[in-house]
Structures are given as structure tokens and as C-alpha cells.
Amino acid sequence: MEELPHLPSLQKLELSCNSIFVETLLRLVKVAVTCPTVRTLQVRETDFTFHFSPSVEAATEPQRAPDLQETVSQKEETRSRSLALRLQKCQLRVHHAEILTTLLQDGPPLEELDLSENQLEDEGCRLVAEAVPRLRIARKLDLSDNQLSVSGLSHVLRVVSTCWALMELHISLLYKITVLTFTHEPEVQEGACQSAIFLDNHVSPVPVELPLGSWRIRLTHCGFQAKHIEPLCKVLQESCCLRPLDHLDLSDNALGDEGAALLAQLLPGLGPLQSLDLSKNSMSLDAMLALAECMSSVQWVAHLDASLSNQHFLLTSDTPGRLALAGRPLPDSPAVAGAQCIPRSFRLRECPLEPPSLSHLCETLRKCPGPLEIHLSCEVLTDQSLETLLYCLSRLPQLRLLQLSETKLTPRSPLLLADVSSLCPQLQKVELRSLYHMTLHFKSGEEQDSVSCRFTGCGLSQEQVEPLCYLLSKCRDLWQLDLSENRLGDDGLRCLLKCLQQMPISGSLDLSHNNISQEGVLHLLEMLPYCPRIQKVSVNLGSKQSFCIQFSKQEKADKMLRLSECNFQPEHVHQLAGCLSQAPQLVKLTLSQCFLDLQQLMVFLHLLRQPAGQCSLRVKEPWMRTASVSTLLEVCTQASGSITSISISETQQQLYVQLEFPRQKENPEAVASRLSHCDVEIHHSLLETCARLQQLSLSQVDLSDTSDTSNTSSLLLLCGLLPNLSELKIFRLTSSCVSTKGLSHLASGLSHCHHLEELDLSNNQLNEADIQVLLAALEGKCRLQQLDLSHMPLDSPAVATLIQGLSHMTLLQSLRLSGNHVDDIGCCHLSEALRAATMLEELRLDHNQIGDAGAKHLATILPRLPQLKKINLSANGVGPAGGMLLATSLTLCRHLEELRLGHNALGDPTVLQLAQGLPQQLRVLHLPSSSLGTEGLLSLGQALDGCPRIEDISLAENSLARSIQHLCKGFPQLLRLDLAYCAIDNQAAKHLIASFPLCPALEEILLSWNSLGDEATAELAQVLPRMLRLQRIDLEKNQITARGAWLLAEGLAQGSSIQVIRLWKNPIPDDAAERLRSQEPRLDFKFFDSQAQAPGEP
């Protein structure tokens, strides 16, 4: 052994099978401690091995003799290395422990010390544990299988609490485990050494500067019974005085109900723990009730999670850090709990819930500070138990959520819940799904005094409607009633409509998926005169099977009806028109794919009447795709009222007319004069019906010269009609095909429309000559306020013609020239023409090629447009130079509300300049793909603090992962946030998602094509119940697995207004997606099976 320092290249020394005695072993340990090249000494019975790691210095100077006296540098080298000692099954006894610890405390830091399977017994384990603070063990001390007893366990507990580097103590007497795990942090190890010095000198044992690591004790399978609790807590309490405990695990013992009750009494003395695990201790419901007392008597206990069948009992705190709890005052009564207390939750799963137990539980939780959540589940809950639970609600004013999950309820449950809706004033929302999941939400004092009830999939039939309505009629304000997916049928609907007048519904009624037929729809329409507060009806009898009614708080409300796929037969048409003619204040009617053919539609229009006022009618039928414009205009002649607006779209298969009742009779002389000047092709009845026409819109129609005579007649009819429309103010011809000859006639007709205020000729298929002819019709349009020529290629002559027309449009408020091939020169001429448009509020020049030169010309004119509110210059090849000029100019536009500059390489300098002058009234800010960096986003985030009206922010396609925290702020009116393709990962998303509740108006969030995983979805699932207006989240192409999707489904189940969460192209197997989709239809995994509607769709 003395020659070891002279063997610098030695890597391993094997001394196995040499019958080495314990005394010799201890001398070899001393060699391992003093020899600088020894890294590991491993001994197990007769196996004996040294492992070496020679230093570079030793390897390069093999002949240097060691000095007799260690130098200071050698001592430092000794302490800088780490040593692993594994002395297993070596027959070490109590007296050897003291020798061994003396040898080790002056040696190098220990990577690991394994003394398992020896004979140290209680005293030897105590001696080793007592020396732990001075041994500087980096990872683990193993004292397993050393005949440790319950008594010795207590001694170990007392001494290890003085070691600040110790992170976990795990003792299992049954499996003979005694393992101490230490932190790897050097500063904590240094703190442990300082702590030992302080203790040796009788100085304060808890230095203020020592770091506080998470400290866990696991005493599992130790056979603890009730009789052991008091002495165990006494030892733990002494330990906590030296070092506060974070986590205590007493699972897999034999405490029973008596031990749990005793521990609940002694728990305050153990200090502010973060968790206490009492699982698998042969405990019953009585033990759970005793532990529930801790939620009111022990400050740190915020959550109790219990399952009797799995014997799971876990108490946890609300905050991860002990310091967060220190000094927090405990309220004296539940009355102040909402303002001063941390949220608390009680979870009891898979446990029989009988009335006495529920009463006891509620009485126990009544003392608990709030806000409080209660989650329960059992196999079956009887009506008596549910009644008991609901009766106790009034005694829990701090309650915010009560949930029963995976619990079979009886068919009478909806009636019991309807009854409590009126008896419990703090109840805000009642949800019962499939008689298996029940959720009650309770409001705080400042929230609105209304209640929402959802009884979906509960098997409700006609017989239950009347008693249900009677109970709900007692509510003060029933905001929402959802009875979808039941078995009401037409008879149930009739019964419900009979009771509707007595029910205080002020929001919506959902009767979707209730097997309602056309007869039920017609009965609803017959009842409209008797239900004056009905505001909107949306019915689809096709595959969607939707049936929704919305109400107004006003006694008399304008009515909007949408009927889809109702398959009305010819005998229904007269009844339909008669019912709608009796409906008061009908202002909007949509009939979509209701199987009305041409003749039935003409009959319906002729029969439809209203006492007075305007009513819009939109009809969508497949046959309209092939119907000509002249045919649809002929349909309009049958209208019994005056038509003020017509809109025709062939590809969208729809006809829209605005009717005015009653039809006003014209002066006979005026009629005769107009008819004398019109072509023979013009129907006199059409002129009479359209005498007051103010708007004519044609979209996606075919007006080209073909062999089809209907196209020709449609064009002639249109061209002859235009000069006779003296009140026409709006003309739109978009996305259509018009022949050159027809365009000439059309331009001639438009030249006679002197009162036009809006002209939209965008997206038509025209050549250069056609464009010149059409632009010539702009001459004399001095009253024009809106002009849209988007996607119409404008060459130099066309630009000159346009500029000539613009020079006379002094009232122009909106100019849209998107995708018109406007270059820098065209932009220069256009800027000059805009000098006269001092009323301009909107300017759209996106998707052109103005470049930096064109941006320079625009920058000179923008400050001279004092009314400018909206500007779109996206995708124009503008770089930093032009961007800086535009930014400087735009800061002078103080009325700006919408700013869209995306898909230009603007860079941070432009954004910094913009941020200096964002107007307070800004509502829309779009800067996607703008080369935005950290500095730009920082300044932008600061500038948006001064824009309280911001509603729409798009920063997509910018790399924002490292700077997204600058946008994590509260925007009270924000509706839409687009951060797609921004390289956002889980860490960045954590801060972003935490800020979502600070934006209470959010309706749409786009986070597609990022790097979000399950960690981010877990954060998102937690905030979903608080996002009351959120309708759509796009998470396409992220890294979300089935686990993350399941978390989102759980978040939606807590209550949410979300219509769809899009999860396309995430790594979720098809079978898992199918299961999740059946559980939560609002999760959308594939494009082709998407059933959720986009926001705003009826």
C-alpha cells in the first residue's frame, strides 16, 4: 500500500479472495483517503477492488519522490478530488463506525458512502448519521440492512436534520432500506460544512445565509401504528426546529383511523410542509374526515386528495416554496377567505358517499377558508345523498366549485339540480352530462346574479319537461339553458314552449340533438308572437341537428331566424310563410338548403308579409348554382314588399334580398316616364319591385358571351336595369366573368348612376382594354365614398385614368387597391391624387410592389390625410429604409385604428420608431413576418401599454421565443392574438399562457407551427376555465401528444365557452384521437372530420 503513490499509471488494483480482516480494511480505507489517485474503493465480502484516476502531474513526473510533509497544494488536491467508498457486507460493527467516521471527516469529499449489509445496528447508524454534516457526501449515504429499529430510526432523524446538504432520507424497515440522498450543488455542500462548524461551536444552528433546499423524509413500510405517532412527531418537531421539513412520506404503514386522527392533531407542530403522504395506511372514511379538519386548522394544507379504494391520501400546499407560506395570516372566518386565503381543494375519489358522511364532510369543510373546490367521485350516488349534498351548499359560502365525476346519478338528478338553482343564490353554473358528470360553479360577490344550467345527455323526455320548467321558473335570471342530446322530440318541444313565458331565460336555450322534426320547427314559428323576448333562432335538422334559441332581456326584440336543412315539403310552404308573417319584428330570415325549389320560393316570397319595417331574406339552395341572374331577378318580382337590396352569388348558391313593408306606391306619371325609356327586355314588374333599390351586389356570376342565352339575357337585363335605378347607392360586381361587349354595356349603365356612394369591382377577370373601359365609368362619380378595385392589374394608362377619376372624389373615405401590380412610379402618381381625398379613412395597397421608393412617396402624403383610420401596406417589398420613413409619417396620423405592415422586412429600427407614436385608439396591429427581434418586441410591448383599445395583434412568423415575455401583459379588449410560427417552446409559453387571463375578452388564440408540448398544454388547461369568452385555439403542428390533448379535454370539462381547439398535425395516434374526440367533440384532430364551427358562424 505504501507504494501506491509511486504508481501513477495504475488504474485498478484487485485484492479479492484475500481473507482481509476488518482492522486491515480500515487501514486500507485510510490509504484510500490519503492517496491522491484513489477514486473508488469497493468491498463486498471477499471482493476487494481499488480504482484509480491518476493526475496529469503524476503521469508526467513518475520518478518524483513524495515529500514527507504534505504541502498546502497537496492538501488542496486531496480536498478537490472526490472518493467513492462501498463497504458492503464487511461485518462492520458499532465500534468500527466511530473509527471510520474519524478517518473520513478529514479526507476528500465523498461521492458516495455505501455501508449497507453490515452490523452497525442503531448506535452505529446514529454515529454515522451524526458525522454526515462533516463528511461532505455529494450523492448518497447507504446504511441499508444494518439492523436498524424503530428506536434507532428516531435517533437518525434527530441528527440528520443538522445537515443542510441532505435532500432526502428514505427509511423502510420492512425492506431494510436506509438511504440518505444529498444535493449536488457545491454552495449547499459548503453551507453544510458551515452549519457543522456552527453547531460544534454552539452558535445558532440555522445561519441566515444558508440555502434552503427541498427537504424530504420518506418513512415507508416501517410498521408505524397509532402508538408510534406521538413519539415520531416529537422527533420530527425537534428536527423541524433545526431545519424546516418540506415533504413527509408516511405511506405503506399501519396508522389506521386512530393514527390519522392523532397525526391530524399534531400536524401543526411540524411546521409548513409542502406535502404529506399517508397512502396505504388501512384508513377509512373516518380518517379522511379527520384529515379534512386540517384544511381549516393547518395553514399550509391547501389540497387534500384521497381515494379509499386505492388507499391514496395526499395533503399538499398551494405554493412550491416554504417561504411563500411564511407569515401569511390565517383568516378567522370564511367571510374574509376569498380575499385573504389561498385557494383550497378537496378531492375524494372512489368512495361510497352516504348522507351522514356527506353531512359530516360539509360541516368539516364549512370551517375551511376559501375559495374552496370540492371534487367527489363514487360508483353510484343516490337521490338522498345528492339531496343531502345540495342542501349543504348554503353552509359553504366560500365554495367556488363542486364536481362529481365518474359517478352514476339517477334520472331524477336534473330536477334536484334545477331546484337548487333557485335555492342557492351564489350558484352560477350547473352542468350535468350523461347522468355521469356534474359540475357546479359558484360566483363571488362581484359577479352577475344569473345562473346557467346544462342538462345534456340525461335522457330527458316530455314527461320531465313541465316539472323541470316549473323548478327553473323560480330562478331570478336564467342566463343559459342547455337541454341538448336528450329525448324531447316534438311533443317535448311543445310542452317546453308552453312553459317558456314563465321561465326567466335571458340568454340562450339549446335543444340540439332532440329528434325534433319540421313539425316542431313550424310549431316554434307559430309560437313566436307569444314569445316576444325570442331574439334569434338557429335550426339545422340535417347532420348537425342543432336547435338554438337566443333571448333578449327586452320585452320586445327584433327577431333573426336561420333554418337549415329542414326539408320543407310543398304543403309546408304556405304554413311557413303564414307563421313568419305573424312573427313580430322579423328583421332577418335565412333559409339554407331547406329544399325550396324555384316555384316554391316564388310562392313563399309572394306570401311573406310584415306589418311594417324592413326584413332581409337570404336563401341558399343547390339549384341556384346553375340559375342565371335573370332567373333570380325574376324571383324577386314576386316579393310583396319593396326591394331595397339584392345580392346574388351563383357559386355560393344564394340569393339575398332586403324587403321593405308595406310596398310604397309610386306616382303613376313617374312610373310611365321610366317605363317609356326602358328596353323591352326589362320586366315592368321588376322595375316596380326594385323602384327603391339602393344596393345591387353580384358575386361569382357568369356574364360572358356564350352560347347560353340566359347569360346574354342576364347581361341585357342588368344593363337596362341600372339606368332606371334612381336611388342606387351601392353597386358590387366581384369575382365574376364579364365579356368585353357586356362590360361596355355595363360601363354605360354605370355612367347613369350618379348617386353611387360605393363601387366594388374587385377580383373580376378583365383584360387591360376592359379595365380602361370600366375605369372610364368613374368619371363624374363625385359622391363616391368607397371604391374597391382590388386584384385588377393597373398598367400606366389605367393608373392615369384612375388618378383622373380620383381627383374629383373629394368625399372618398375608402380606397382599396390590393394586388393591383402598383409599382413605385404608380404609387408616386397615386400619392399625388390622394392630396384631394382629405376625407379618406381607409387605404389598402397591400400585395403590390411599391418598395422603398413608393413608401417614400406615401410617407409624404400620409400626414395630410387627417381622417385616416386604417392602412394596409402588407407584402410590398418595403425594407428598413422605407419602413423608417413610413413609421415616422404614421406617428403623425393620430386617428389611426388599424395598422397592417406585415410581410415586409422592416426590422427592429422601424418597429422602434413605430413604438414611439402608437395612437391610444389603435385596435389592430399586424406585423407578421417583419424581421421583428428582441429589441423591437420590447419597445412594442411597452408601447402597447398605452393602447387600451387594442383588439387584434398579429406577430406571426417572427422568431420570438427569447423575447415573448415582453408581450405577456394584460390587454382588456384584446379579441385575437396570432403568434403562429414564432418558435415558441414550453418555457416561453409558460409565461405567455399565464398572461391569457389578463386578457378577459380574448376570443381567438393562434399558436400553430410552434414547439409547444404537453407541458404547455398543462398550463393552458389550467387557464381555460377562466377564459370566459375564448372560442377558438389553434395548436396545429406542435409537439403535443395524447397526454397533452387529454389535459385540454379535462380543462374544457371544467367549463369553457370554447367552440374548437385545433390539434392538426400533432403526434397523436388516430385511435387516441378518436377516443378523445368522443369524450370532447371540441377537440379537432383532422381537417376532414372537423365538426366544430369557426367563431361567428351561426
Side-chain angles (χ1 to χ4, degrees), residues 945-1003:
D945 285 339
C947 303
R949 301 179 184 176
I950 193 74
E951 297 177 0
D952 187 351
I953 298 176
S954 175
L955 301 177
E957 300 179 53
N958 290 291
S959 185
L960 304 179
R962 297 183 179 180
S963 52
I964 196 65
Q965 69 272 14
H966 301 312
L967 197 66
C968 300
K969 302 182 179 185
F971 300 108
Q973 297 186 28
L974 187 66
L975 302 176
R976 181 179 180 272
L977 178 62
D978 185 358
L979 295 174
Y981 225 128
C982 288
I984 300 173
D985 55 16
N986 283 330
Q987 187 62 31
K990 184 175 182 180
H991 302 287
L992 177 67
I993 294 171
S995 69
F996 286 166
L998 303 178
C999 307
L1002 258 180
E1003 296 179 356

Side-chain angles (χ1 to χ4, degrees), residues 918-1072:
L918 286 183
Q920 289 186 351
Q921 66 275 10
L922 189 69
R923 295 186 299 105
V924 177
L925 176 63
H926 282 201
L927 293 172
S929 189
S930 299
S931 303
L932 186 61
T934 301
E935 188 178 359
L937 188 58
L938 172 61
S939 63
L940 193 62
Q942 294 172 344
L944 287 173
D945 285 339
C947 303
R949 301 179 184 176
I950 193 74
E951 297 177 0
D952 187 351
I953 298 176
S954 175
L955 301 177
E957 300 179 53
N958 290 291
S959 185
L960 304 179
R962 297 183 179 180
S963 52
I964 196 65
Q965 69 272 14
H966 301 312
L967 197 66
C968 300
K969 302 182 179 185
F971 300 108
Q973 297 186 28
L974 187 66
L975 302 176
R976 181 179 180 272
L977 178 62
D978 185 358
L979 295 174
Y981 225 128
C982 288
I984 300 173
D985 55 16
N986 283 330
Q987 187 62 31
K990 184 175 182 180
H991 302 287
L992 177 67
I993 294 171
S995 69
F996 286 166
L998 303 178
C999 307
L1002 258 180
E1003 296 179 356
E1004 184 177 13
I1005 300 173
L1006 287 80
L1007 290 171
S1008 56
W1009 293 83
N1010 282 294
S1011 301
L1012 308 185
D1014 294 346
E1015 184 180 343
T1017 56
E1019 299 284 342
L1020 187 58
Q1022 292 183 6
V1023 304
L1024 285 182
R1026 290 184 280 164
M1027 307 296 292
L1028 301 180
R1029 298 186 182 179
L1030 191 59
Q1031 298 179 13
R1032 182 174 183 265
I1033 304 177
D1034 191 347
L1035 298 173
E1036 179 186 358
K1037 193 61 177 178
N1038 278 281
Q1039 299 171 8
I1040 301 168
T1041 69
R1043 169 68 179 171
W1046 179 83
L1047 290 172
L1048 291 173
E1050 289 293 301
L1052 290 173
Q1054 299 296 320
S1056 173
S1057 61
I1058 286 184
Q1059 296 177 1
V1060 60
I1061 297 181
R1062 194 167 78 162
L1063 292 166
W1064 301 356
K1065 300 181 182 178
N1066 278 284
I1068 302 173
D1070 289 345
D1071 56 342

Side-chain angles (χ1 to χ4, degrees), residues 82-136:
S82 61
L83 176 65
L85 287 181
R86 302 186 184 98
L87 310 179
Q88 303 168 337
K89 216 169 186 179
C90 296
Q91 299 183 5
L92 296 175
R93 298 182 183 276
V94 177
H95 61 281
H96 298 132
E98 188 170 0
I99 299 172
L100 185 62
T101 55
T102 303
L103 285 173
L104 296 177
Q105 67 183 9
D106 293 328
L110 295 174
E111 182 73 15
E112 176 186 350
L113 178 58
D114 188 347
L115 301 178
S116 60
E117 299 183 78
N118 285 290
Q119 300 167 25
L120 299 180
E121 300 179 347
D122 291 348
E123 181 62 17
C125 289
R126 183 191 66 81
L127 290 172
V128 176
E130 197 174 51
V132 162
R134 297 185 293 276
L135 297 184
R136 293 175 298 145

Side-chain angles (χ1 to χ4, degrees), residues 376-380 404-410 413 432-438 456-458:
L376 305 174
S377 75
C378 62
E379 188 174 346
V380 177
L404 272 171
S405 58
E406 299 180 0
T407 300
K408 187 176 181 180
L409 299 170
T410 70
S413 301
L432 179 61
R433 291 186 290 125
S434 306
L435 297 177
Y436 206 60
H437 300 277
M438 182 194 84
T456 60
C458 296

Side-chain angles (χ1 to χ4, degrees), residues 268-453:
L270 299 183
L273 302 178
Q274 290 184 35
S275 71
L276 171 62
D277 193 345
L278 298 175
S279 301
K280 298 182 180 179
N281 264 286
S282 303
M283 297 191 297
S284 70
L285 186 60
D286 292 336
M288 184 276 303
L289 294 173
L291 293 174
E293 294 276 0
C294 298
M295 297 187 69
S296 57
S297 61
V298 183
Q299 180 185 351
W300 67 265
V301 178
H303 311 288
L304 172 56
D305 190 351
S307 171
L308 287 191
S309 64
N310 295 328
Q311 277 293 297
H312 172 78
F313 293 87
L314 181 64
L315 290 80
T316 57
S317 68
D318 186 64
T319 55
R322 183 170 49 246
L323 296 180
L325 289 172
R328 189 193 296 266
L330 187 65
D332 296 328
S333 67
V336 295
Q340 299 182 6
C341 263
I342 56 177
R344 284 169 161 78
S345 68
F346 175 86
R347 296 177 183 269
L348 179 58
R349 293 172 282 118
E350 300 163 345
C351 171
L353 299 173
E354 300 298 331
S357 302
L358 287 170
S359 295
H360 190 177
L361 174 62
C362 292
E363 182 60 28
T364 300
L365 294 177
R366 185 180 67 84
K367 310 169 190 175
C368 175
L372 173 65
E373 293 185 3
I374 300 177
H375 302 261
L376 305 174
S377 75
C378 62
E379 188 174 346
V380 177
L381 192 72
T382 64
D383 286 343
Q384 187 179 4
S385 295
L386 181 58
E387 284 184 280
T388 302
L389 181 61
L390 298 178
Y391 173 76
C392 295
L393 293 180
S394 59
R395 290 185 284 170
L396 298 170
Q398 77 278 36
L399 189 62
R400 293 295 173 265
L401 177 70
L402 172 62
Q403 188 175 66
L404 272 171
S405 58
E406 299 180 0
T407 300
K408 187 176 181 180
L409 299 170
T410 70
R412 188 166 167 259
S413 301
L415 300 179
L416 296 176
L417 290 171
D419 193 20
V420 79
S421 301
S422 60
L423 298 177
C424 185
Q426 71 266 30
L427 190 59
Q428 185 179 37
K429 185 175 181 180
V430 179
E431 183 174 359
L432 179 61
R433 291 186 290 125
S434 306
L435 297 177
Y436 206 60
H437 300 277
M438 182 194 84
T439 305
L440 306 184
H441 296 265
F442 300 83
K443 57 178 175 287
S444 56
E446 67 274 7
E447 293 174 309
Q448 292 183 352
D449 189 18
S450 61
V451 63
S452 297
C453 295

